[in-house]
Amino acid sequence: MAEPVVRIPDAKVALSTASVYPESTATAFEIAARLGYDGVEVMVWNDPVSQDIDALRRLSDFHRIPILAVHAPCLLITQRVWSTDPWTKLQRARAAAERLGASTVVVHPPFRWQRQYARDFVTGIWRMADETDVRFAVENMYPWRYRDREMLAYAPDWDVTKDDYRHFTIDLSHAATSRTDAMQMVDRMADRLGHVHLADGNGSAKDEHLVPGRGSQPCAELLERLALTGFDGHVVIEVNTRRAMSGAEREADLAEALAFTRLHLASASSSSSARSSAPSSPGPHSSVSSASAQSAPSSSSAPPSPSPAPSARSSRRSSAKARRR
């Protein structure tokens, strides 16, 4: 039997509840269900509902949309959410993920002024990962910049591939802000890439989180690679819609992001089949991008923001990982 022309990968496409800010967590569930997202990632922040596991479960049940990931409260504005102790925050995030059926906890590297937390972070994340089936996926960040000055705000490093973690989150908006080659970072993450925050950017000093396709990041290229390599994590739309002039405009942006993501997750399999059946024809990626622009809902605004180095520890982790398998 001939293989289908398009094969949809196992990766689910989720909406981050941060993508509807300044609307509420509850609104994010409603929009995600209405637009046809596969699930949500809950950003735990100052909205009381985002901190309340029972309330989150009721929203998930009411809208019939699963919670696929929990983003731990590790932003500057969430320093007092779920305790002031960073390890307590991660323990509560893990407990929330386990109770809600989420497979992933997203965590940022520590701020440099959290000295003890930063000193123990790599080993502590491994210890917590060993205690649960939930993935702790550490997210790439960026240097803080003001005019000609650059501040290294994260430790051990904003480039998380310089350290030894079991799972990574790639955030393309953060890659743009750090002016890093996102695909090279994905190469360094290799099979430890467990989670994706999909958003675009143009290399501004501000973290832009544009709708995919509106910036300079390789959003389509990354999605096509994920499809070809059988990525089984989640792709989370984490964009900034705070400048949307209406609820309808916000939904149009989120619908466009979903259409772009689904198109390019499927296009890799389609492109591969087309090349094998017609080897003399040119690659289809440019036409795929054009189709995406024509088929996706339009919006009047483009909203701006709201391999690890070898070591003895890396060797030990690799050996331990092999034994666990």
Side-chain angles (χ1 to χ4, degrees):
M1 180 183 296
E3 291 189 5
V5 174
V6 177
R7 291 170 295 173
I8 306 300
D10 292 334
K12 290 182 170 61
V13 182
L15 178 66
S16 168
T17 59
S19 295
V20 306
Y21 181 83
E23 297 289 345
S24 67
T25 300
T27 300
F29 277 82
E30 179 185 347
I31 292 174
R34 183 161 55 246
L35 295 181
Y37 278 82
D38 297 319
V40 300
E41 174 179 297
V42 174
M43 170 68 80
V44 180
W45 70 298
N46 297 327
D47 181 347
V49 171
S50 74
Q51 305 170 32
D52 187 329
I53 295 174
D54 291 333
L56 292 170
R57 182 183 289 115
R58 287 194 295 272
L59 283 170
S60 177
D61 291 344
F62 180 80
H63 292 288
R64 298 183 180 180
I65 190 162
I67 297 170
L68 301 179
V70 173
H71 195 308
C74 39
L75 305 176
L76 278 175
I77 63 171
T78 60
Q79 292 298 290
R80 295 185 177 278
V81 173
W82 278 359
S83 170
T84 57
D85 176 67
W87 291 115
T88 299
K89 291 172 181 284
L90 294 191
Q91 290 164 0
R92 292 190 65 172
R94 180 189 66 191
E98 290 172 343
R99 288 181 59 188
L100 294 168
S103 64
T104 302
V105 167
V106 179
V107 58
H108 293 178
F111 295 111
R112 295 190 74 86
W113 55 84
Q114 297 174 302
R115 294 183 180 177
Q116 186 61 48
Y117 178 47
R119 188 176 301 119
D120 299 335
F121 185 68
V122 177
T123 55
I125 288 294
W126 271 96
R127 182 178 62 252
M128 293 189 73
D130 284 338
E131 297 169 352
T132 181
D133 291 332
V134 173
R135 293 178 173 182
F136 280 87
V138 186
E139 183 174 3
N140 62 300
M141 298 305 291
Y142 46 85
W144 291 1
R145 294 188 179 92
Y146 179 70
R147 294 182 179 174
D148 296 330
R149 296 186 178 182
E150 183 175 287
M151 174 183 175
L152 300 179
Y154 299 96
D157 204 286
W158 61 264
D159 181 352
V160 293
T161 64
K162 292 182 178 179
D163 291 286
D164 181 26
Y165 302 108
R166 182 178 295 175
H167 292 108
F168 294 108
T169 297
I170 182 72
D171 185 304
L172 269 68
S173 179
H174 294 176
T177 304
S178 65
R179 297 166 190 170
T180 299
D181 186 308
M183 297 308 292
Q184 288 183 9
M185 180 171 278
V186 168
D187 287 340
R188 294 195 297 275
M189 292 178 175
D191 62 356
R192 290 186 288 173
L193 174 61
H195 201 67
V196 174
H197 279 172
L198 193 68
D200 220 328
N202 287 310
S204 167
K206 295 182 179 180
D207 186 18
E208 296 171 288
H209 283 274
L210 304 178
V211 170
R214 297 184 184 177
S216 60
Q217 289 302 288
C219 298
E221 181 182 352
L222 173 61
L223 292 169
E224 292 173 10
R225 179 183 295 192
L226 295 179
L228 286 172
T229 56
F231 179 71
D232 63 353
H234 306 315
V235 178
V236 178
I237 303 300
E238 191 184 67
V239 297
N240 192 322
T241 64
R242 71 177 64 183
R243 290 196 178 183
M245 300 300 292
S246 66
E249 185 175 324
R250 173 172 291 108
E251 287 199 30
D253 285 345
L254 298 177
E256 179 180 333
L258 179 60
F260 179 100
T261 303
R262 289 227 166 104
L263 174 67
H264 289 285
L265 275 175
S267 67
S269 297
S270 177
S271 301
S272 176
S273 298
R275 282 195 296 271
S276 63
S277 62
S280 61
S281 60
H285 297 302
S286 59
S287 62
V288 166
S289 298
S290 174
S292 174
Q294 294 173 9
S295 63
S298 61
S299 173
S300 59
S301 67
S305 177
S307 58
S311 65
R313 183 172 61 199
S314 297
S315 299
R316 291 196 299 271
R317 295 300 186 197
S318 299
S319 299
K321 184 177 179 183
R323 288 196 298 273
R324 283 192 291 273
R325 287 177 174 172

